[in-house]
Amino acid sequence: MSKPKSLFEKVWERHIVEEEGADKPAVLYIDLHLVHEVTSPQAFSELDARGLKVRRPDRTFATLDHSIPTLAPDADGNRPYVTAQAKKQVETLEANAAKNGLRLFGYDAENRGVVHVIGPEMGLTQPGFTVVCGDSHTSTHGAFGCIAFGIGTSEVGHVLATQCLAQRKPKTMRINITGALQPGVTGKDVALTVINTLGFSGGTGFALEYAGPVIEALDMEGRMTVCNLSIEAGARCGMIAPDQKTVEWLRGREYVPQGAAFDEAAAQWLTLKSDDGAVFDKEITIDGSAIEPMATWGTSPDQGAPIVKGVPVAANEDEERALKYMGFTGGEAREVEKVDVVFIGSCTNGRMADLRAAAAIMKGRKVAPGVRALIVPGSEWVRVEAEKEGLHQIFLEAGAEWRLPGCSMCIAMNGDFVLPGQLAVSTSNRNFEGRQGPGSRTVLASPATAAASAIAGHVADPRQFMQLESA
Amino acid sequence: MSNQEPVNSFSSRIVVLPEANIDTDQIIPARFLTTTTKAGLGKVAFNDWRYNADGSNKPHILNEIDPTEHRVLVAGNNLGCGSSREHAPWALMDYGFKAVISTEIADIFKSNSLKNGLLPVVVSPEIHDKLTQNPQQRVTIDLESCTLTLEDGTTVTFQVEAFARQCLLEGVDAMGWLLKRLPEIEAYEQTNNKAA
Ligand code: SF4
């Protein structure tokens, strides 16, 4: 019998064009390359300088998400770009896509959106694929059993020119999450717990596989959230074995095989799982039943804690520095953290399941006075679906803003940002100093927690609102 | 990227930023990423640490030193975590750095740095302490032998991925290396049903 293999090894081996050696990396084939406006211009310039074109336009897809405005154009159709340079960046991608024959999900496309939201949504992301993008949260696509990782602009150029990357095989780590989640606990809380357990660099050099009953019970959106945050523990990718849920989620989407060919593909996808006895370089277990709604309190995503436990006391200099930046003393209850901004969106939590969770809390309630709540769907498809379900009405009636899709306040480069000193509860993925604008302070949390915090006006455990409803 | 200058041996004074977990958002904030070139990013390297909102200087070591004299950045643990933006090494190199030293350097940042000729050097906590305790010192970095020599004469070896090291030493560019493999890539596509 052949040696048992992990999910990662199975997918990796299928994409080896040339084996790795002591003095050379493997040549890894890339099935899907997603491109956006911010990390691609210099890569296209490099191709131009060498007189090359994109080698596989059929495997390369572009979208506008990072620097585009989320406000509607004016009566003359002018988009409210934050700067002329942002506009130029968008136009550069439009020109590069046209010149190379790439499908661009541009302004008029019904599928435009945040790169890691639209890939799966369109069925571009398929189990067993290798997926790359010049964006660290490419790990999101791992939820479909893909090896998916972020690359720099030089490597974007490599893939555009050759459809391959020079890569060393990473080590593997399996994270088993046992038990069952308590009501009110979501994929985001699982992810923040995993990062908190591993630490900010605990995943460096590893490809993660998430497994166990908690992962199996999560819906695809929850799994994407978990994989999305792999990079925040330093891992370049995180994966989950495809199952029947994965298959049903993908069925009928634009780019997956249709009809009988789909079932054939699905049968093959379902073989993509770690064999019994597969060996990992590291394996850890987390008790899923003990996970509670989480919120970060510091300036890196691993600095999080269950909301009910309050802000921890600093254990070292780094934590002290983080607390100081956040304006917390340590040891206080989360209720004292007055919230200025709530941001619900991003590739971490900008999908339908996320908006539904937020709407369930906001329904019939009002955003607390003085709080600015911004709801930004992850894609045009999400926006349209949400409007069909009337979610936008719930948000608007609660006093929140409902925007067009984009990265928005997750990266704060399009004109949506948090003012200096303001405290934001965000469903995004990074609470670095100034990530949401110079001097901004960010608390990362789930959509339910963000919505609850908007209503309460302070960082709040969402279960209090859920209990109210059932009472 | 294409006409990589070979990197080998150099000596320089260091500059120390003791903070741990310096993410690429600190190295270059996102609002400067709307550029479509690589040029001129040195002036916004560590922008929010170096300047006030009105553009005036904050008291910060990077505003005080002569970058041509300080080509080696020594940073706290886990340097370069976060976003994959290659603008981070572009900004550091444009500022004047040729090498970065930490006890841990994040994966993507390390890979991006190597592709641009910015040398990432991972050292033990003991060596890191020796560097930070004498933050004015001059060090020598030799890529051929993969050694770092401190002012007190201590010499340690560091690891650089073999292929990246060869690319840097010989000025080989990785895209060219991949382009030479196009026949193998085409053969792979044929046998794996991935042809266009
Ligand atoms: S939503 Fe945020 S993390 Fe996701 S792709 Fe956009 S900027 Fe990156």
Side-chain angles (χ1 to χ4, degrees), chain B residues 2-196:
Chain B
S2 50
N3 299 312
Q4 188 103 53
E5 284 286 310
V7 175
N8 192 354
S9 175
F10 68 95
S11 293
S12 166
R13 289 174 71 181
I14 61 170
V15 56
V16 175
L17 297 180
E19 291 85 355
N21 300 331
I22 296 177
D23 56 76
T24 52
D25 271 86
Q26 307 311 316
I27 298 174
I28 177 165
R31 60 188 188 283
F32 301 112
L33 306 186
T34 50
T35 176
T36 51
T37 70
K38 301 176 189 177
L41 294 177
K43 61 181 185 296
V44 294
F46 288 99
N47 187 85
D48 295 351
W49 293 18
R50 287 165 66 198
Y51 310 110
N52 294 306
D54 64 7
S56 60
N57 279 5
K58 287 183 184 173
H60 191 275
I61 188 161
L62 294 182
N63 289 333
E64 282 138 30
I65 56 167
D66 174 358
T68 61
E69 291 284 318
H70 297 79
R71 316 301 296 266
V72 178
L73 172 65
V74 176
N77 191 45
N78 197 27
L79 172 66
C81 51
S83 157
S84 61
R85 61 191 68 164
E86 202 159 314
H87 309 69
W90 295 338
L92 293 177
M93 293 189 76
D94 191 55
Y95 177 89
F97 291 120
K98 293 175 77 169
V100 291
I101 301 181
S102 177
T103 42
E104 191 162 18
I105 300 181
D107 273 348
I108 304 182
F109 175 73
K110 192 190 279 175
S111 152
N112 285 341
S113 296
L114 285 166
K115 288 193 174 59
N116 289 278
L118 177 70
L119 195 61
V121 177
V122 176
V123 296
S124 67
E126 293 70 41
I127 294 298
H128 195 265
D129 284 349
K130 281 183 177 245
L131 287 163
T132 53
Q133 280 157 12
N134 179 5
Q136 301 292 328
Q137 70 183 290
R138 175 172 282 279
V139 299
T140 301
I141 294 178
D142 184 76
L143 182 59
E144 181 77 50
S145 59
C146 286
T147 52
L148 163 71
T149 305
L150 311 192
E151 200 160 76
D152 68 3
T154 310
T155 296
V156 287
T157 56
F158 57 86
Q159 302 226 322
V160 183
E161 194 275 314
F163 177 69
R165 176 173 166 272
Q166 187 202 340
C167 289
L168 288 176
L169 282 174
E170 296 168 17
V172 173
D173 84 278
M175 190 193 282
W177 186 83
L178 281 168
L179 285 166
K180 279 199 206 127
R181 278 150 182 81
L182 280 178
E184 287 81 6
I185 296 169
E186 270 157 32
Y188 169 89
E189 287 174 327
Q190 291 300 336
T191 40
N192 289 276
N193 213 6
K194 295 188 189 215

Side-chain angles (χ1 to χ4, degrees), chain A residues 65-66 114-116 135 137 228 346-348 407 410-411 429 435:
Chain A
D65 53 5
H66 282 66
V114 179
V115 60
H116 311 309
D135 187 285
H137 294 98
N228 174 280
S346 86
C347 62
T348 311
C407 296
C410 173
I411 188 161
N429 39 58
R435 167 79 176 187

